[in-house]
Amino acid sequence: MKRIGIDVGGTNTDAVLISADTIVAGVKATTTEDVLTGVSNSLAALKDKVGGEALTQADAVMIGTTHFTNAVIERKHLNRVAAIRIALPAAASLEPAVDWPADLRASVDPAIFMVEGGHEYDGRPLVPLDEDALRQAARDIARMGIRSVAITALFSPLTSACETRAAEILAEECPDAAITLSHTLGRIGLLERENVAIMNAALKDLGARTVSAFRDALAQAGLHAPFYLTQNDGTVMLAEVAAANPVYSFASGPTNSMRGSSALSGLTDAMVVDVGGTTSDVGVLINGFPREANGVVEIGGVRTLFRMPDLLPFGLGGGTIVDPDTGRIGPQSVGYRLTEQALVFGGDILTATDIAVAAGRIELGDPDRVRHLDRRFVDDIMSRIRAMFEERVDRMKTSADDAVLIASGGGAFLVPDELDGISEIVRLEHAGVANAVGAAMAQVSGEVDQVFSGVSRAEALAQAKAGAEARAVEGGADPTTLKTVDVEDIPLSYLPGEARRVHTRVVGDIAAITAAR
């Protein structure tokens, strides 16, 4: 069983070939402006190492990409979206996307429709769904030429009846529209769930184009194996399914690195710092998976509440620019131009990598080009880098006890050998391609995070498990390998009907690989 993992980062595009649990080869290629060229270059470099036959015999290819996150941050390649909120006469004071940054809202330019319907907090209908208004809205959407629609109903995580019926009406009136239903993505809070749905709808076309382009790049390399995209929770999903839910790929890069760090170190419970070329991320592994965020997460300035890893990013990486006059560290970075612009590579910009070379922490490039740096200046920068790591690690800890920290990523050499609050720093043999390893070794997951009312606890748990298993199989999992990795149920005593929120997640091996065994 052979798998290829590819992780497209801001600086490098990493690729590995894995046979069973053995890393056959790993390569790094510079990320390019169009991203896809970087993927082709990384596959070509991998082919040079292992040969064309070994590459084309891969059973599956897993790709992690920052493409969708970058689209939101840069306000590029976003669809115009029709946002339908089913909540009148309640929830009318703040319209959809009201709290978005002005430039992002202008890029999406949401056409807003407010319709009567939705449910109460205990699952009872608020008012009957106004189907006539919905049908009129669908006709207006068709007339305006909008092809991406986000539908959000009040308390739809309790019952999705209104959103499902609205989707049926939209499909009749606008058969070409791509529809996002909020209950499939977000949690109970209306505005945050609606934000996720609108964002997902805005990325639909980019998702389809990206998957198509990746497939072309793989075909050019002679690869025709099943193709998956990595997700926020450290698992993968069939590319076509993932393209319909691009928001689930937002934080896949650092998540891949955390999963790869777990696989390479053999540790399932530890802290991880992933040091890239531009930024670092601190996270926590629990049972081999990243700890999930329970609170609001801002993406591109938009408040969201859905499945995201609990990460603390900060602006320090191998390409971080250091001001030689003031000693200021970042947050600007030379990014993927590190090998062109850093001093040790013949450039004229002082970076954190140059400081590490001058301090003797790593041998890279031409060390003679940084010998002129004052030793006290170098020691001061390294001391401040250490303080940056210590502060972020301390903020992510949930206990005063010392923790084990895995140093991962291409810039892991910046992590000092000792940090306050850390009992041991684990170095990885393949730290530079840990993200691609995490992508290659990922499984398929299915998740349900829903409020159940009017049923017993046992029935609620059973329904949640069945729903999670169905979603995993839809995403490409072999049903015979599914196992439950997370179950959490919280009684909601302020709601009638023995209401409780149930969060269940299952994972399984990808079906194609299982079939090939």
Side-chain angles (χ1 to χ4, degrees), residues 309-495:
D310 186 11
L311 298 171
L312 180 58
F314 59 104
L316 175 64
T320 295
I321 297 173
V322 178
D323 189 317
D325 298 321
T326 65
R328 179 186 172 91
I329 304 172
Q332 291 78 21
S333 170
V334 296
Y336 63 85
R337 295 188 174 88
L338 177 68
T339 55
E340 303 169 15
Q341 298 184 340
L343 294 184
V344 293
F345 293 115
D348 56 3
I349 297 178
L350 180 63
T351 68
T353 294
D354 297 314
I355 296 295
V357 172
R361 293 199 57 80
I362 188 172
E363 295 181 3
L364 267 180
D366 182 1
D368 288 338
R369 292 185 57 83
V370 292
R371 291 197 196 284
H372 66 283
L373 295 175
D374 184 89
R375 185 68 197 186
R376 286 174 298 180
F377 174 80
V378 171
D379 290 344
D380 177 60
I381 298 299
M382 288 306 302
S383 175
R384 290 164 57 196
I385 287 175
R386 170 175 174 156
M388 293 172 74
F389 282 115
E390 286 179 337
E391 179 192 347
R392 273 68 178 190
V393 166
D394 187 59
R395 286 172 59 184
M396 291 298 286
K397 289 174 65 177
T398 56
S399 164
D401 297 336
D402 286 352
V404 174
L405 178 70
I406 305 171
S408 187
F413 54 81
L414 289 175
V415 181
D417 295 328
E418 293 182 353
L419 290 173
D420 288 346
I422 295 300
S423 60
E424 179 186 3
I425 293 177
V426 179
R427 306 280 179 183
L428 304 174
E429 183 180 356
H430 298 285
V433 292
N435 43 13
V437 172
M441 303 189 81
Q443 295 173 296
V444 181
S445 78
E447 182 186 51
V448 165
D449 188 352
Q450 185 176 335
V451 175
F452 293 86
S453 180
V455 297
S456 67
R457 176 175 182 270
E459 189 173 347
L461 293 177
Q463 288 184 21
K465 181 181 178 184
E469 289 179 343
R471 290 182 182 180
V473 172
E474 181 189 8
D478 181 342
T480 64
T481 65
L482 295 178
K483 67 176 181 179
T484 304
V485 294
D486 281 325
V487 178
E488 182 183 65
D489 74 298
I490 303 173
L492 304 178
S493 57
Y494 53 89
L495 297 182

Side-chain angles (χ1 to χ4, degrees), residues 15-252:
V16 296
L17 174 64
I18 290 180
S19 179
D21 293 330
T22 302
I23 299 173
V24 179
V27 299
K28 300 178 83 69
T30 302
T31 294
T32 54
E33 288 283 349
D34 64 355
V35 178
L36 302 179
T37 301
V39 172
S40 297
N41 292 342
S42 67
L43 287 172
L46 198 59
K47 183 179 179 180
D48 289 342
K49 277 199 169 186
V50 302
E53 186 176 353
L55 200 68
T56 54
Q57 287 178 346
D59 298 297
V61 180
M62 290 84 162
I63 298 181
T65 177
T66 57
H67 221 48
F68 307 128
T69 316
N70 293 344
V72 173
I73 292 174
E74 297 173 8
R75 282 64 163 137
K76 292 180 178 177
H77 313 299
L78 301 174
N79 296 339
R80 190 183 183 197
V81 174
I84 299 178
R85 180 189 292 175
I86 306 171
L88 293 180
S93 57
L94 297 174
E95 67 176 18
V98 66
D99 59 344
W100 286 34
D103 55 348
L104 180 57
R105 184 183 168 99
S107 297
V108 176
D109 189 17
I112 294 170
F113 301 88
M114 309 278 265
V115 178
E116 289 189 353
H119 289 80
E120 298 275 12
Y121 59 88
D122 58 359
R124 290 175 298 159
L126 179 68
V127 295
L129 177 64
D130 189 344
E131 295 196 6
D132 290 339
L134 263 175
R135 202 168 289 281
Q136 183 57 52
R139 291 173 184 144
D140 291 342
I141 291 167
R143 178 178 50 77
M144 296 163 78
I146 300 175
R147 296 181 57 255
S148 200
V149 184
I151 301 175
T152 307
L154 197 60
F155 288 110
S156 62
L158 275 71
T159 170
S160 58
C162 285
E163 291 188 0
T164 303
R165 178 59 186 147
E168 292 172 352
I169 293 172
L170 260 293
E172 292 170 8
E173 301 291 340
C174 314
D176 295 332
I179 300 171
T180 297
L181 303 183
S182 75
H183 77 273
T184 64
L185 298 172
R187 296 172 182 166
I188 204 162
L190 176 67
L191 293 181
E192 290 80 8
R193 176 162 43 89
E194 186 174 63
N195 285 342
V196 173
I198 296 172
M199 203 175 286
N200 194 73
L203 291 164
K204 284 268 189 174
D205 283 356
L206 180 62
R209 289 199 303 272
T210 301
V211 166
S212 176
F214 278 145
R215 182 175 290 104
D216 290 345
L218 297 178
Q220 288 173 12
L223 289 164
H224 300 284
F227 160 37
Y228 299 79
L229 291 186
T230 61
Q231 305 286 288
N232 295 335
D233 63 350
T235 60
V236 294
M237 195 171 282
L238 276 171
E240 291 76 10
V241 180
N245 300 294
V247 295
Y248 276 155
S249 296
F250 272 167
S252 61

